[in-house]
Amino acid sequence: MRASILALACTCIGATHAQDIYDIWQTTWNRSPTFERIPIKTGDLPVSFTPPGSAKSAVITVDDNTVYQTIHGFGGSLTDSAALTLHNMKNKNRANYEKLLNSMFNATDGANSAGLSYLRVPLGASDFSAKEYTFDDTKGDTSLNKFSIDAAPSYLFSIIKDIVGINPLMKVHLLPWSPPGWMKSSGHIGGGSLEPQYETAYAHYLLKSLQGFKDKGITAYAIGIQNEPQNSNPTYPTALVPSNVEAAIGKTLRTLMNANGFKDTKLIGFEHNWNDAGKYPVDLMNSAESAFDGVAFHCYAGNVGGQAQFRDKFPGKEIYLTECAGTIGTDWWTDIKWYMNNLWIGSLSQGSTTGLMWNIATNAKGEPKLPGTSSCGGPGCRALVSVNDDASYSFNQEFYSMAQASKAIIPKDKGGPWGRRVKVTVGGSQAHALTVGAYVTGRSSSSQPERHSLVVLNQLDGSNALWKPTPVTTTIEFRGKHATITFPVGVTTLWWFAPKSSSGGKVQEGWEVYGDASGGQQVPMGVWK
């Protein structure tokens, strides 16, 4: 055991005692360890929940009688460039390729993997493609006779199938960066807006995209209408699609989906930044609430608290966090703190059902990109994993922080349910040091004990004038009992098992006020760099 990393009374991985802390994974500020299971000495006993004693300087109180949203998974986008990067890696060193995919996507309980389970795939070209294309670039082809899913590179589909082969639980979310250029005011895939006369044709285009992927053996979990509908940039595929236009397309598309075998595929709207959370997605739902299952947010403007503006108006609709990009050259630990506070814990606490970064994989320079694009300028966007020309690779802070959160919510049993967020509060004199997410994962059989997980960020690293990483000794309070753990500066994921709550867990349709005066936990808000 690394005594300097984790000061515990003792822990025993594999213990089956009820309400004993069962497993611990950590990523620390100094990268020792990075998403690793903490070694346990032979003969150690588990950290048990016992009758209450004196509370420590921080107290995490878990209330599993109040249950919130199901978490659908974590992941990123498999752009053409990401698929090409992985395809080239596969050709050069298949063993490394398979090791990488297993480390990222194996969601089997107990696997040494992050269990990433949500994949976002552009329909047609994006800013990370070798060339510009859509699935029908024949001008005026409103009947879509020239539509071909094979306009996408073949390696895109082969990589998806490889990933799904490792993780059959993978959810695939399809989304276009632009309609075909001939449907737009610009006459081009870059910039401009969708012309009104093509709204119905575009809905059929999206249906044919769903059908095309299904013909390739990939049934979509979700589909969207337009990536970043408030962005018009002529240097890469973009389009302006006002909320009333997206609503009209959504109504038509939902009807087409229901009539053509895609009733269970979710339709997700908006797909843009937090700063407009109270306007565009609200207007969209006011116009076409029955068509859409939810909306998706990106991190590039505003802050995570903006999600509440939508959530409070439409508590029955799902929220997805589907894009945020790392910046090459930024500080490891500063980034991890921001990600945990705003994305992997913070966004979920504001209602998100997913947590996704941008590219799954690129080279270390954040390439290849679409020739001539202004997207990801400056130092470039960093992917979850950087793959080198020799097929070696290195995971980035985006992956390590995400992995800590993903590990907490994957199913315990094959075919079992996903984790659901539960109510958690943090008190005590050092409460400010901790940001905490709490989750419960049900079992295939109601007689089996449920898994209770915590994802804990300890950010007590000193001040600007004094660097002083300080562990925080913490009481975890659960069902009237206490366990004591000291969290190092970093991210810790742990869990224990307990019988299902006698109340069955009250499903909360509303939401707690996050950071209110009653002791709720405060998420430090950040502005994306």
Side-chain angles (χ1 to χ4, degrees):
M1 178 182 289
R2 295 185 177 120
S4 62
I5 297 298
L6 183 65
L8 291 177
C10 47
T11 306
C12 185
I13 291 176
T16 58
H17 308 287
Q19 294 184 215
D20 291 336
I21 291 175
Y22 174 80
D23 213 350
I24 298 171
W25 292 72
Q26 283 185 339
T27 299
T28 55
W29 69 272
N30 60 354
R31 313 189 199 197
S32 179
T34 52
F35 186 54
E36 294 176 21
R37 177 183 272 142
I38 300 304
I40 303 300
K41 290 180 180 178
T42 302
D44 277 349
L45 298 173
V47 175
S48 298
F49 285 85
T50 60
S54 58
K56 302 302 179 182
S57 58
V59 180
I60 297 171
T61 301
V62 179
D63 175 11
D64 66 322
N65 287 315
T66 304
V67 184
Y68 301 102
Q69 78 276 18
T70 297
I71 310 304
H72 299 316
F74 293 82
S77 294
L78 189 73
T79 61
D80 290 348
S81 293
L84 178 60
T85 299
L86 294 172
H87 174 72
N88 289 339
M89 181 188 191
K90 181 179 180 180
N91 288 339
K92 290 178 180 178
N93 190 325
R94 190 179 184 96
N96 270 14
Y97 170 75
E98 292 177 351
K99 181 180 178 182
L100 172 63
L101 293 194
N102 267 289
S103 296
M104 297 183 79
F105 300 113
N106 189 340
T108 304
D109 179 63
N112 186 18
S113 167
L116 304 184
S117 301
Y118 207 97
L119 201 63
R120 186 164 167 257
V121 181
L123 293 173
S126 71
D127 39 334
F128 281 78
S129 295
K131 64 178 183 179
E132 295 181 340
Y133 72 93
T134 70
F135 298 136
D136 190 342
D137 288 322
T138 302
K139 186 175 182 179
D141 183 26
T142 55
S143 61
L144 302 174
N145 291 326
K146 300 297 184 181
F147 181 99
S148 176
I149 203 71
D150 290 323
S154 60
Y155 51 74
L156 175 68
F157 302 109
S158 66
I159 298 299
I160 294 174
K161 290 177 182 178
D162 285 348
I163 292 172
V164 173
I166 289 171
N167 184 357
L169 303 175
M170 183 61 63
K171 301 175 181 72
V172 176
H173 183 140
L174 304 178
L175 183 71
W177 263 237
S178 174
W182 54 269
M183 294 186 182
K184 299 168 63 180
S185 60
S186 61
H188 186 262
I189 195 173
S193 58
L194 181 69
E195 294 281 28
Q197 65 266 32
Y198 295 118
E199 290 175 9
T200 300
Y202 189 43
H204 281 271
Y205 174 91
L206 295 173
L207 173 66
K208 289 180 77 69
S209 297
L210 283 169
Q211 293 170 328
F213 268 76
K214 188 173 182 179
D215 289 343
K216 297 288 186 180
I218 302 160
T219 299
Y221 174 81
I223 189 170
I225 289 171
Q226 174 60 45
N227 178 64
E228 299 186 346
Q230 298 168 308
N231 179 23
S232 176
N233 186 319
T235 72
Y236 67 97
T238 55
L240 295 175
V241 180
S243 61
N244 65 312
V245 176
E246 182 163 306
I249 297 168
K251 290 176 183 178
T252 302
L253 179 58
R254 182 75 268 174
T255 299
L256 291 170
M257 290 165 62
N258 292 348
N260 287 276
F262 294 98
K263 187 176 181 179
D264 293 333
T265 298
K266 296 177 183 287
L267 181 56
I268 307 303
F270 189 46
E271 285 274 356
H272 215 161
N273 291 324
W274 286 322
N275 65 330
D276 202 30
K279 179 59 178 170
Y280 188 116
V282 170
D283 291 346
L284 180 65
M285 289 298 163
N286 284 333
S287 298
E289 182 176 358
S290 62
F292 290 88
D293 295 276
V295 298
F297 290 100
H298 297 178
C299 77
Y300 305 116
N303 62 58
V304 66
Q307 288 179 194
Q309 297 177 57
F310 174 82
R311 180 198 69 197
D312 293 344
K313 291 183 181 295
F314 295 96
K317 293 296 181 179
E318 291 186 315
I319 293 174
Y320 292 71
L321 176 75
T322 54
E323 188 178 315
C324 198
T327 301
I328 292 173
T330 53
D331 178 67
W332 155 275
W333 173 234
T334 299
D335 287 343
I336 286 181
K337 287 189 292 183
W338 197 93
Y339 294 144
M340 301 313 300
N341 278 317
N342 294 277
L343 306 183
W344 319 141
I345 298 176
S347 181
L348 271 59
S349 296
Q350 296 286 0
S352 289
T353 61
T354 62
L356 278 66
M357 290 300 291
W358 181 207
N359 273 294
I360 291 286
T362 62
N363 66 19
K365 296 180 180 179
E367 298 172 344
K369 295 195 294 183
L370 183 71
T373 182
S374 64
S375 177
C376 284
C381 291
R382 187 174 48 232
L384 289 174
V385 61
S386 298
V387 179
N388 302 315
D389 290 339
D390 63 358
S392 62
Y393 62 92
S394 59
F395 289 121
N396 298 313
Q397 50 261 53
E398 290 74 23
F399 170 79
Y400 287 121
S401 57
M402 179 188 289
Q404 292 282 160
S406 177
K407 201 70 174 172
I409 56 88
I410 59 176
K412 167 63 180 171
D413 304 316
K414 185 176 181 180
W418 292 77
R420 302 192 67 181
R421 186 172 68 89
V422 300
K423 186 174 183 180
V424 62
T425 54
V426 184
S429 62
Q430 290 187 307
H432 62 282
L434 305 183
T435 301
V436 183
Y439 311 93
V440 61
T441 303
R443 305 298 300 278
S444 296
S445 169
S446 60
S447 65
Q448 295 174 304
E450 295 182 316
R451 184 183 69 206
H452 294 265
S453 305
L454 293 181
V455 182
V456 180
L457 168 69
N458 174 10
Q459 55 200 330
L460 192 61
D461 52 18
S463 65
N464 291 334
L466 177 65
W467 175 252
K468 188 179 179 181
T470 304
V472 175
T473 300
T474 303
T475 297
I476 300 174
E477 182 177 311
F478 176 72
R479 297 183 184 176
K481 294 187 177 181
H482 287 179
T484 300
I485 290 182
T486 298
F487 292 106
V489 173
V491 187
T492 299
T493 302
L494 57 83
W495 53 77
W496 64 92
F497 290 87
K500 189 171 183 177
S501 170
S502 58
S503 70
K506 177 177 134 187
V507 177
Q508 182 79 13
E509 296 298 339
W511 307 88
E512 80 269 34
V513 178
Y514 201 62
D516 67 355
S518 65
Q521 179 190 17
Q522 177 68 48
V523 170
M525 302 302 182
V527 177
W528 184 244
K529 298 180 284 297

